[in-house]
Amino acid sequence: EKGNFRHFMAKEMHEQPEVVAHTLGHYIDMANETVRLPEDLPFDFAKLNRMCIAACGTAYYAGLVARYWFEALARLPVEIDVASEFRYREAPLDPNGLMLVISQSGETADTLASLRYARDNGQSVLAVVNVPTSTIAREAHVALPTLAGPEIGVASTKAFTCQLATLAALAVAAGRARGVLSAAEEKRLVRALIELPRLMNEALKLGPTIEHLARSFTQTRDVLYLGRGTAYPLALEGALKLKEISYIHAEGYAAGELKHGPIALIDEKMPVVVIAPHDSVFDKTVSNMQEVAARGGRIILLTDAAGARRAALETEATLILPDVDPLIAPLVYAIPVQLLAYHTAVHMGTDVDQPRNLAKSVTVE
Ligand code: M6R
């Protein structure tokens, strides 16, 4: 039931600190500050040459974030594709490779077909799934559960952040197994993960500010989302969330791609949402933002206090998030991105939980 919330989506967004904590509890040994995975994994991270990821929609964006983590923390080369392409690409698979599929429902037709393709080609298949009794959970060699609980809203929110929590823990475990992370580094990263529920609660407090800001979105036809590094998949996720529930056209772009085309769209009407925690690529993103500002673009900046100081730029709105370790930034920044889509849709009067033309689980291709 929805409890005090108007929509399942609102309830599910607000459940995130709790369900992410629950998911992390499953993968983290809190006393020792280490990651804990099932012991009988049918593959050894230390021996892998590469990993392939296939998923759809929001689950695919979780995979895109995870690619940055696995490559940086575990030096494991990652290839990722949307499942509808992966299944037909006839991709050659490395005999020392691992296939990872990600799915909330565990029933998505293209993701399941990708799993079967990999399995039929001799790969070990790992699935990150929210429904433990699903077909994907059953057919994978190992299913790592996300403990988000049932997700009713068609727009995925808590399933996404629980996928990220699981994948972050997995990437840290891979980094340890491959000798990239020391025990001390593992501890530091695990401590950062443990901070998540508190920081996600902080982010949720932006609700009223975002509700107000979202009013101006109802008058717009298009919105551009920009991000770099792990904020790039979040830009894609922000655009998907907005279009799916508010029906406003939105595009997510890697900030560095701005000058390769989308900059032609910038005018004083189109909001540009810039997702930029103060991290190692922050200055690069700011220079893209300056290009938007120089053309009179409307900038909505999502950053932290240090980022806001350093950007020193006129924006239409700057939303200040808590300071976070770069590892966990995607889970914290997911929240304002979801809230913005949600409040825009509510102002527009659309059916937030059951948007037109969409199904919760896409079991046909
Ligand atoms: O159940 P799955 O995670 O496999 O679903 C994948 C996509 O259909 C899903 O994430 C979709 O993009 C959502 N409606 C996004 O909010």
Side-chain angles (χ1 to χ4, degrees), residues 134 307 309:
S134 61
R309 266 196 311 277

Side-chain angles (χ1 to χ4, degrees), residues 56-59 102-106 108 154-156 163 240-241 244 362:
C56 301
T58 289
I102 307 165
S103 175
Q104 186 284 127
S105 63
T108 301
V154 164
S156 186
Q163 284 161 352
L240 174 65
K241 215 97 295 177
E244 106 179 293
V362 184

Side-chain angles (χ1 to χ4, degrees), residues 68-313:
Y68 290 85
W69 290 335
F70 279 100
E71 295 199 337
L73 301 177
R75 311 302 299 147
L76 177 61
V78 174
E79 179 191 315
I80 174 161
D81 208 346
V82 287
S84 54
E85 288 301 316
F86 182 83
R87 65 180 293 188
Y88 294 119
R89 249 174 54 208
E90 301 181 41
L93 301 176
D94 191 308
N96 291 316
L98 173 69
M99 180 79 202
L100 169 64
V101 293
I102 307 165
S103 175
Q104 186 284 127
S105 63
E107 302 296 346
T108 301
D110 288 320
T111 310
L112 177 60
S114 298
L115 174 159
R116 288 180 176 157
Y117 174 84
R119 216 187 42 190
D120 294 347
N121 283 276
Q123 295 280 288
S124 285
V125 181
L126 176 67
V128 170
V129 277
N130 195 44
V131 179
T133 51
S134 61
T135 313
I136 288 177
R138 281 198 317 266
E139 292 200 13
H141 297 112
V142 206
L144 296 182
T146 49
L147 305 180
E151 190 180 62
I152 310 294
V154 164
S156 186
T157 54
K158 63 175 182 168
F160 177 62
T161 43
C162 287
Q163 284 161 352
L164 290 177
T166 304
L167 293 164
L170 197 62
V172 171
R176 265 305 264 155
R178 294 169 69 80
V180 182
L181 298 176
S182 66
E185 283 163 328
E186 177 181 18
K187 254 191 202 318
R188 189 185 65 75
L189 293 169
V190 166
R191 279 195 199 123
L193 289 172
I194 293 172
E195 286 290 292
L196 266 169
R198 181 178 67 78
L199 296 166
M200 293 174 88
N201 263 318
E202 284 296 306
L204 280 165
K205 292 187 186 148
L206 287 169
T209 310
I210 295 177
E211 180 174 11
H212 181 75
L213 171 71
R215 280 214 178 275
S216 69
F217 273 51
T218 57
Q219 304 301 320
T220 150
R221 276 187 43 205
D222 312 280
V223 180
L224 186 62
Y225 286 76
L226 299 176
R228 215 178 252 272
T230 55
Y232 162 45
L234 278 181
L236 298 172
E237 169 64 1
L240 174 65
K241 215 97 295 177
L242 187 73
K243 66 186 130 191
E244 106 179 293
I245 58 173
S246 75
Y247 316 144
I248 294 171
H249 171 244
E251 298 264 5
Y253 262 93
E257 280 287 293
L258 183 67
K259 51 165 82 60
H260 300 284
I263 198 165
L265 295 171
I266 306 287
D267 61 17
E268 56 299 328
K269 289 205 218 69
M270 185 180 65
V272 181
V273 179
V274 182
I275 305 167
H278 188 242
D279 58 14
S280 61
V281 290
F282 179 78
D283 288 344
K284 301 282 174 194
T285 307
V286 168
S287 75
N288 301 124
M289 214 163 63
Q290 277 157 347
E291 291 159 7
V292 175
R295 286 159 187 85
R298 295 173 52 186
I299 297 170
I300 319 291
L301 173 61
L302 271 55
T303 188
D304 44 37
R309 266 196 311 277
R310 193 164 165 87
L313 200 84

Side-chain angles (χ1 to χ4, degrees), residues 26-27 35-43 126 142-145 170:
H26 193 75
Y27 295 107
V35 175
R36 179 181 54 198
L37 292 183
E39 267 161 27
D40 50 349
L41 293 178
F43 61 88
L126 176 67
V142 206
L144 296 182
L170 197 62

